[in-house]
Amino acid sequence: MGTWSAEILGNDSAMDVYGFFEKLYNKQELSIDEIKRDTLSKFGLFNDNNEPVYGNEEWLAYAFACWEYKAIDNETIKIVANILNDKDDIKEDWEELANERIKEIELFYIKIQTPPKRKKRIKKEYIVEIPFKIGDCILTTCENGKYSITILLDINKKKDSQNMWTYYFATTRIYSEDKPTPETIKNSHFLVVNYGETWEGEITNYYIENPTVWIRGSFMGSIKNETEKQEKEKELLGYEIITNLNFTTIPELPKSFGYFRLDSDYFIKNQSKWEEQNTNIIDLSYPIKNYLEIPEIVKEKPKKKKWQFWK
């Protein structure tokens, strides 16, 4: 994310701690004392001698979470006081934002002396059930009515929340007024984006020299309520799956990703238009057949000759 501000939760390190604490609390599987212990252990906030390790951003975020859930203890308040008193360390770390940071910590220290009026509510997670499995070839319709095919290549399930799993969708070169068949898909290619013009109409070298296999990593993200969850699921169920392909290998997956979407209308339309005038740069480097599971050929056993009785 790269977030950085003088606020208590204004940086990635703080949000990692706060987010971890919050997720454990929302699951309601552990007691608050167990959540505190797991958070302290996860981020190494005490050393082997049970002495606090002063990662100031992490400790302040931990104190913030404890206070919100009415679980702050005197030792944590004392650690916040020690962080505030070490102003030289704050100035060294925060430089031009040091004074603003010190003011934030002073206000925070005063705040945690008094318990909040009410404990922070449990945040319910609304999980959207994705109806696709790896290898599904999903029919999408572009704005101009032409058909395209998006293939789900892989799912990364490392994130705790199912809504944050990454679904890797690849776009094919299919861009047709006729509905594609399973055989059409097998004989197609993964789309390579290499179009581009400057405002003056000259060819840009960025896409030409760095062609991109158009694969997107998509995640569902936060869903606010049951209504939004049902709307998303209804929308996804509206897509038609033409076939499912068994892949033995797949092209390299991207490291970046964004919110969940299936169509690549903009890129396939522009790539197709570009190729009409530039037939020499059509990139067919990624035939789908090259990545498919080749079924084992079963040889038929030779038929036994029947005994024939001669007269």
Side-chain angles (χ1 to χ4, degrees), residues 109-207:
Y109 180 61
I110 294 169
K111 182 178 184 177
I112 62 176
Q113 308 297 314
T114 306
K117 291 181 180 179
R118 59 181 64 88
K119 189 188 296 185
K120 188 175 180 181
R121 292 180 181 178
I122 298 167
K123 186 178 179 182
K124 184 176 179 180
E125 188 174 20
Y126 297 91
I127 302 296
V128 174
E129 296 299 330
I130 310 296
F132 310 124
K133 58 182 182 292
I134 292 172
D136 277 353
C137 300
I138 306 158
L139 184 71
T140 59
T141 307
C142 301
E143 287 182 2
N144 59 9
K146 288 190 177 183
Y147 291 113
S148 178
I149 289 291
T150 298
I151 302 177
L152 177 55
L153 292 182
D154 198 12
I155 306 172
N156 184 333
K157 299 182 178 181
K158 289 182 180 179
K159 297 286 185 179
D160 290 338
S161 170
Q162 191 171 322
N163 283 350
M164 296 304 292
W165 290 355
T166 305
Y167 293 75
Y168 292 98
F169 291 105
T171 303
T172 69
R173 287 183 53 83
I174 293 172
Y175 186 55
S176 170
E177 294 176 358
D178 298 320
K179 193 173 179 180
T181 65
E183 202 60 31
T184 307
I185 298 168
K186 287 179 184 177
N187 290 319
S188 183
H189 302 71
F190 290 116
L191 178 68
V192 176
V193 174
N194 61 6
Y195 72 86
E197 285 184 348
T198 64
W199 288 109
E200 294 78 21
E202 297 174 355
I203 295 175
T204 57
N205 290 324
Y206 177 76
Y207 278 125

Side-chain angles (χ1 to χ4, degrees), residues 45-163:
L45 298 184
F46 281 107
N47 62 21
D48 293 339
N49 297 321
N50 205 34
E51 298 166 335
V53 176
Y54 285 100
N56 294 354
E57 286 78 25
E58 291 86 351
W59 264 111
L60 292 172
Y62 170 77
F64 192 100
C66 289
W67 178 81
E68 277 197 329
Y69 293 107
K70 288 194 170 186
I72 197 161
D73 53 81
N74 290 332
E75 183 178 13
T76 301
I77 293 174
K78 185 179 178 182
I79 289 170
V80 174
N82 289 339
I83 291 172
L84 179 59
N85 290 333
D86 193 356
K87 291 183 173 57
D88 288 339
D89 188 51
I90 297 172
K91 288 175 181 177
E92 183 179 341
D93 288 343
W94 289 80
E95 298 176 349
E96 69 273 7
L97 289 175
N99 290 334
E100 190 178 343
R101 178 67 169 177
I102 290 168
K103 188 177 292 184
E104 287 287 335
I105 299 173
E106 286 174 344
L107 293 172
F108 177 64
Y109 180 61
I110 294 169
K111 182 178 184 177
I112 62 176
Q113 308 297 314
T114 306
K117 291 181 180 179
R118 59 181 64 88
K119 189 188 296 185
K120 188 175 180 181
R121 292 180 181 178
I122 298 167
K123 186 178 179 182
K124 184 176 179 180
E125 188 174 20
Y126 297 91
I127 302 296
V128 174
E129 296 299 330
I130 310 296
F132 310 124
K133 58 182 182 292
I134 292 172
D136 277 353
C137 300
I138 306 158
L139 184 71
T140 59
T141 307
C142 301
E143 287 182 2
N144 59 9
K146 288 190 177 183
Y147 291 113
S148 178
I149 289 291
T150 298
I151 302 177
L152 177 55
L153 292 182
D154 198 12
I155 306 172
N156 184 333
K157 299 182 178 181
K158 289 182 180 179
K159 297 286 185 179
D160 290 338
S161 170
Q162 191 171 322
N163 283 350

Side-chain angles (χ1 to χ4, degrees), residues 30 66 205 225 262 305:
L30 303 174
C66 289
N205 290 324
N225 50 50
L262 293 176
K305 291 182 179 180

